[in-house]
Amino acid sequence: RLQGDWSSDVCSSDLLNFQLAKVLADSLIYEYAVTDARISQMSNDLSLVNAAIESINSTRLKGKTEEAIVLCQKKETAATDSFYRAHFYYLEAYLLAADPKPPVKQISEKLTQAIELSGKKHQLALEMRSYLRMEKQKNAAGAIEDATLVVNNDPRNPEVYIFRARIYELDNDLAGALVDYSNAIANKTRSEEHTSELQSPCNLVCRLLLEKK
């Protein structure tokens, strides 16, 4: 990425997130007997979204990029949930970025639509636009603004600080990069301590008892 590959991986991480959301929704329905209609609707919607993402990715891997873009556009129109629509705009931006001469303006517009539709929460779209602004549009302030949104959306995740540190590095702001690398280390340490505490024998027994109540 830092050498000019500013596009991010198309579906792998988000596909896993949507699949995990489907597993959790189904678990609530079938294992915990939750009858809330919203959960059932979410499960159905996630099935459709996952199938659409898999279809787009499969088409892309066959080298049919233009066909995959058309699939994205159809899903952008059909999706009723704003976050699902946001993700299809993001996927279209990624596919456009694969062009040897990527249409930067069009990609930026698609990413902006994804970001706005998601309430500025779509992390991959924010990351991609941050790199786009830095490397293609020479807009360092905009790139750092997007990177800061990435951090603010998930402040306990060490990876987001590493991401912003790399943007600072591209802007030759080594002081800013150093602060974020330090934040990443601190958050990773806290995360490991918290995980260790949760996995202690005493806490495991307490959690087991609570689950059985």
Side-chain angles (χ1 to χ4, degrees), residues 16-31 43 46 50:
L16 290 173
N17 287 341
F18 283 123
Q19 286 177 339
L20 177 59
K22 176 73 166 86
V23 169
L24 292 173
D26 287 349
S27 177
L28 288 172
I29 294 169
Y30 300 113
E31 294 180 34
S43 177
L46 285 165
N50 281 323

Side-chain angles (χ1 to χ4, degrees), residues 105-153:
K105 183 179 178 181
Q106 188 178 358
I107 293 167
S108 179
E109 289 172 351
K110 296 296 178 183
L111 291 172
T112 297
Q113 285 175 298
I115 290 164
E116 294 305 317
L117 278 168
S118 66
K120 299 184 179 179
K121 299 293 184 183
H122 198 298
Q123 294 289 77
L124 288 178
L126 284 166
E127 288 182 9
M128 190 174 176
R129 192 175 70 174
S130 182
Y131 274 122
L132 178 73
R133 285 176 162 179
M134 180 62 76
E135 297 191 10
K136 298 294 182 181
Q137 298 177 320
K138 308 304 178 186
N139 178 4
I144 292 169
E145 180 182 352
D146 281 345
T148 299
L149 284 171
V150 171
V151 170
N152 292 342
N153 284 338

Side-chain angles (χ1 to χ4, degrees), residues 23-81:
V23 169
L24 292 173
D26 287 349
S27 177
L28 288 172
I29 294 169
Y30 300 113
E31 294 180 34
Y32 293 90
V34 175
T35 57
D36 192 319
R38 292 172 298 177
I39 301 297
S40 296
Q41 185 61 51
M42 183 187 299
S43 177
N44 292 333
D45 289 346
L46 285 165
S47 292
L48 296 173
V49 169
N50 281 323
I53 293 172
E54 288 172 357
S55 176
I56 291 166
N57 198 31
S58 175
T59 304
R60 177 188 70 89
L61 292 173
K62 292 175 183 176
K64 301 178 180 179
T65 304
E66 291 184 6
E67 187 176 327
I69 289 172
V70 171
L71 286 174
C72 282
Q73 292 169 341
K74 288 180 179 179
K75 295 302 176 182
E76 290 162 10
T77 303
T80 55
D81 181 271

Side-chain angles (χ1 to χ4, degrees), residues 2-14:
L2 296 181
Q3 300 302 318
D5 180 15
W6 48 272
S7 62
S8 50
D9 191 13
V10 59
C11 298
S12 57
S13 59
D14 268 344

